Amino acid sequence: RSLLEAFRAHGESATDFLTDVVGKDCSSLGRHARYFLRELGAINTISDFREFIESLHYELETGLLMLERTVHPNREVEDYQGLLSDMAVRVKELLVEDASNLETCKVINRVIFHEFEFCGEREDFYNPDNSFLGAVLETRRGIPLTLSAVYLLVANRCGFHLDPVGFPVRFMLGCFEEEVPFYIDPFSGGTLLSRGDVEAFLWENRVTPMDSYFQPTPVGQILCRCCRNLVQQYQLAGDTGMTDRFASFVNEFERVYREHSTLE
């Protein structure tokens, strides 16, 4: 009670201090700081994302947008979600009845990569904005993970089931609805690949293919991988504060993983 009164007396400076603690510390100290922010009525997107990590109730679109708001708290998500819905509506317009899974992917490719002109960002690959879903929807440029997320979220809106597959070299998607699965590489414009094609790609990148690589990746692991990407991107940008923030998110995911055995 005394601490809460002191924080209230210090006003905005106390909120800034607590926010800084939440951004850098995933131990009990960070959890105490989140408690005081809640009691102060302060809106804190960093605290919200930490609580999301602890909840184990992971949903990809929600998680990616919450992650983005830890850096850009005032971004409105409705426009981003509207663009995803617009693309899904266009896919449905072009789909013929009883289209096969391959034909459906070809239609999604046409809409996302030709009509809406999304593509892989190669020149400025390590820009942190490439890891934020909203920024990618604005620029229509992204890295493998975020472009895969765009593709997956459009497919979901069309009622077409795909699974994320986090290969070591490149994030892709898998269609496991038929006896012989196939894979989609959104970073390369939605190239459709057999398992043999993916294995050849891994060998070319000096990665030995393993059966575990070809299995769907849980949402928690996707979000953790996104945070690891941001650690690397902010390190290259020389931003130690943001590097520490996303490293702490990685630590939080790993702690939750250890405590609950699996990220779902």
Side-chain angles (χ1 to χ4, degrees):
R1 286 195 297 270
S2 297
L3 277 172
L4 187 57
E5 290 172 7
F7 287 139
R8 285 191 175 125
H10 285 281
E12 187 176 342
S13 63
T15 301
D16 291 343
F17 165 74
L18 291 166
T19 299
D20 187 60
V21 173
V22 168
K24 293 179 179 177
D25 197 305
C26 61
S27 68
S28 60
L29 187 63
R31 289 193 284 275
H32 288 313
R34 293 201 299 279
Y35 163 79
F36 285 115
L37 282 169
R38 286 195 299 270
E39 291 298 306
L40 292 169
I43 298 173
N44 186 271
T45 55
I46 298 171
S47 177
D48 288 345
F49 188 64
R50 288 200 186 284
E51 291 180 358
F52 173 79
I53 295 172
E54 293 178 358
S55 74
L56 279 174
H57 298 302
Y58 299 148
E59 192 273 325
L60 184 61
E61 186 170 340
T62 299
L64 288 173
L65 291 171
M66 289 184 72
L67 178 67
E68 183 164 7
R69 293 188 70 185
T70 65
V71 177
H72 305 290
N74 297 319
R75 282 189 176 168
E76 298 295 335
V77 303
E78 288 79 8
D79 291 341
Y80 305 144
Q81 294 170 325
L83 178 57
L84 291 167
S85 296
D86 289 344
M87 288 190 282
V89 168
R90 180 58 178 154
V91 170
K92 291 176 183 178
E93 289 175 352
L94 295 174
L95 275 177
V96 299
E97 190 175 354
D98 297 325
S100 69
N101 292 325
L102 279 170
E103 290 168 340
T104 300
C105 286
K106 289 177 181 177
V107 172
I108 296 174
N109 286 350
R110 169 180 166 176
V111 171
I112 294 178
F113 302 114
H114 296 283
E115 296 189 8
F116 284 81
E117 299 182 333
F118 281 79
C119 68
E121 176 58 80
R122 299 178 185 274
E123 294 182 3
D124 195 19
F125 186 88
Y126 292 101
N127 186 327
D129 275 351
N130 295 327
S131 287
F132 295 130
L133 178 61
V136 169
L137 289 168
E138 282 186 3
T139 65
R140 308 196 183 187
R141 302 289 184 273
I143 58 176
L145 192 154
T146 44
L147 287 177
S148 294
V150 170
Y151 200 110
L152 182 65
L153 295 173
V154 170
N156 285 347
R157 282 165 164 78
C158 296
F160 179 53
H161 183 75
L162 295 172
D163 286 293
V165 186
F167 292 108
V169 179
R170 181 170 295 178
F171 208 96
M172 298 188 192
L173 299 169
C175 182
F176 300 95
E177 297 298 294
E178 298 177 0
E179 185 176 350
V180 179
F182 65 89
Y183 301 87
I184 306 114
D185 181 5
F187 190 70
S188 294
T191 303
L192 303 176
L193 305 167
S194 67
R195 175 167 176 145
D197 294 330
V198 177
E199 288 179 345
F201 173 78
L202 293 175
W203 282 116
E204 288 170 5
N205 287 273
R206 301 180 180 180
V207 175
T208 302
M210 299 176 63
D211 286 343
S212 60
Y213 294 162
F214 291 83
Q215 302 305 310
T217 302
V219 172
Q221 292 182 16
I222 298 170
L223 295 171
C224 187
R225 179 163 171 167
C226 191
C227 290
R228 287 195 181 95
N229 288 343
L230 284 159
V231 169
Q232 181 185 21
Q233 290 158 353
Y234 279 117
Q235 280 178 335
L236 291 171
D239 190 330
T240 56
M242 287 297 183
T243 299
D244 290 345
R245 177 177 301 180
F246 286 97
S248 74
F249 291 156
V250 172
N251 291 336
E252 190 84 342
F253 273 114
E254 291 178 345
R255 179 186 66 78
V256 170
Y257 180 83
R258 288 192 301 270
E259 292 180 0
H260 299 275
S261 299
T262 183
L263 295 177
E264 298 178 349

